Amino acid sequence: MSGTSQRGELPSVSEVLEPRWVRYALITVALAFLTLFLFVPLVAVFAEALKKGLEVYLESIREDDAIAAIKLTLITAAIAVPLNLVFGVAASWAIAKFEFRGKSLLLTLIDLPFSVSPVISGLIYVLLFGAQGWFGPWLAEHDIKILFAVPGIVIATIFITFPFVARELIPLMQAQGSEEEEAAVVLGASGWQTFFRVTLPNIKWGLLYGVILCNARAMGEFGAVSVVSGHIRGETNTMPLQVEILYNEYNFVAAFAVASLLALLALVTLALKSFIEWRLHESRNADDNDN
């Protein structure tokens, strides 16, 4: 029977309602869009980075300012991601498992970095910690440096990335409900035992998914970090800022060499993201079969 698979499965709604040429046209448009705006630029980055040979490429990466930018990017992510993990788990557990006054406000605040420009986020910290800011005089008096230093970069990155873990876990924990946790408490488990033995195993793949997205944004953030960093070469430049400086100096090979590292990190993130999505899908199918 036309439109029916060999296993006797019914055709999907799209197969019934849409002619074949429409489906092929949509697939062609999607592939053309991805090729033009994703694959071609990605290939161009690596082509430009290796334009003068592998030796020049490696020298560009081993340059002192480039190494300092790579280290600062990794340090920033290593601080911001665990803090956002703790916040995301705590916020999602509170929102999904409890009812309290101000719950809708907390949800709105979690989405705030998505609705505010990263540049505006950086300017907020300039107003708070700058020399003429609210806390600027007190910080100067105690010789504490926030802006144009690593602490300012870390704080700006934390603000930009804190929704990712929470926003991934909230719908997952809401869908799972609280029956298993309630059963564990009835059987005598403490709060921490309930979390580590019941809640955490149920959300582990969603948690990893959120952490991967958070880490990707932390390493690639430009706008907010650009405002608070001061662009001090070898000290406060992350990898995206280093790419901008090298490109503005017409040092294209070095700029694309550093950019290729970011592209590689993005590809690794994409691979991990796809793996986590597959595991989440398998986990949900297993839960549906158990029910």
Side-chain angles (χ1 to χ4, degrees):
M1 184 176 177
S2 177
T4 305
S5 67
Q6 295 179 353
R7 293 181 297 174
E9 296 178 352
L10 293 176
S12 65
V13 175
S14 62
E15 290 176 337
V16 174
L17 298 180
E18 301 293 348
R20 182 171 295 181
W21 71 268
V22 173
R23 299 199 300 272
Y24 288 159
L26 291 174
I27 293 172
T28 302
V29 170
L31 289 177
F33 187 89
L34 287 174
T35 300
L36 182 61
F37 293 100
L38 180 62
F39 297 129
V40 171
L42 192 61
V43 171
V45 168
F46 289 98
E48 289 294 329
L50 297 169
K51 190 174 183 178
K52 294 186 178 180
L54 182 61
E55 184 177 350
V56 176
Y57 174 82
L58 294 176
E59 288 178 358
S60 300
I61 293 176
R62 291 196 295 260
E63 196 264 333
D64 290 341
D65 289 343
I67 292 176
I70 294 170
K71 288 181 178 179
L72 180 57
T73 301
L74 296 177
I75 290 172
T76 301
I79 297 173
V81 173
L83 291 176
N84 281 323
L85 185 151
V86 174
F87 166 80
V89 171
S92 57
W93 197 7
I95 291 171
K97 305 298 183 180
F98 303 100
E99 293 295 332
F100 55 90
R101 184 176 299 178
K103 183 176 179 178
S104 59
L105 177 61
L106 178 58
L107 280 168
T108 302
L109 292 176
I110 289 175
D111 290 334
L112 185 62
F114 287 150
S115 57
V116 176
S117 168
V119 175
I120 300 301
S121 303
L123 287 174
I124 291 172
Y125 290 108
V126 172
L127 293 175
L128 289 176
F129 304 120
Q132 306 301 321
W134 289 4
F135 307 113
W138 184 89
L139 292 172
E141 182 181 346
H142 292 81
D143 196 24
I144 299 174
K145 198 168 185 179
I146 302 294
L147 288 183
F148 313 137
V150 175
I153 295 173
V154 172
I155 292 172
T157 304
I158 290 173
F159 177 82
I160 291 296
T161 57
F162 79 74
F164 287 94
V165 175
R167 264 303 168 193
E168 182 60 33
L169 291 181
I170 289 171
L172 178 61
M173 296 177 75
Q174 286 176 332
Q176 290 176 348
S178 57
E179 290 81 5
E180 294 185 19
E181 285 85 353
E182 292 173 356
V185 172
V186 170
L187 292 174
S190 65
W192 287 111
Q193 288 175 328
T194 301
F195 174 75
F196 284 109
R197 296 185 180 182
V198 179
T199 304
L200 189 58
N202 288 337
I203 65 171
K204 61 182 179 181
W205 293 113
L207 180 61
L208 286 173
Y209 186 81
V211 167
I212 288 172
L213 294 179
C214 179
N215 183 69
R217 180 62 187 273
M219 291 190 296
E221 175 54 32
F222 177 84
V225 172
S226 178
V227 174
V228 302
S229 69
H231 295 271
I232 305 173
R233 300 189 68 154
E235 294 185 23
T236 64
N237 276 341
T238 58
M239 292 171 68
L241 300 183
Q242 182 69 9
V243 171
E244 181 199 30
I245 288 177
L246 293 172
Y247 191 86
N248 289 337
E249 293 177 347
Y250 302 101
N251 191 352
F252 298 127
V253 171
F256 281 105
V258 179
S260 69
L261 293 180
L262 283 172
L264 284 174
L265 291 172
L267 292 175
V268 171
T269 299
L270 180 63
L272 291 173
K273 176 176 173 288
S274 299
F275 174 73
I276 297 300
E277 286 177 337
W278 173 74
R279 288 306 305 260
L280 274 172
H281 179 72
E282 292 294 318
S283 178
R284 286 166 182 168
N285 286 341
D287 291 339
D288 292 339
N289 293 333
D290 291 340
N291 295 332

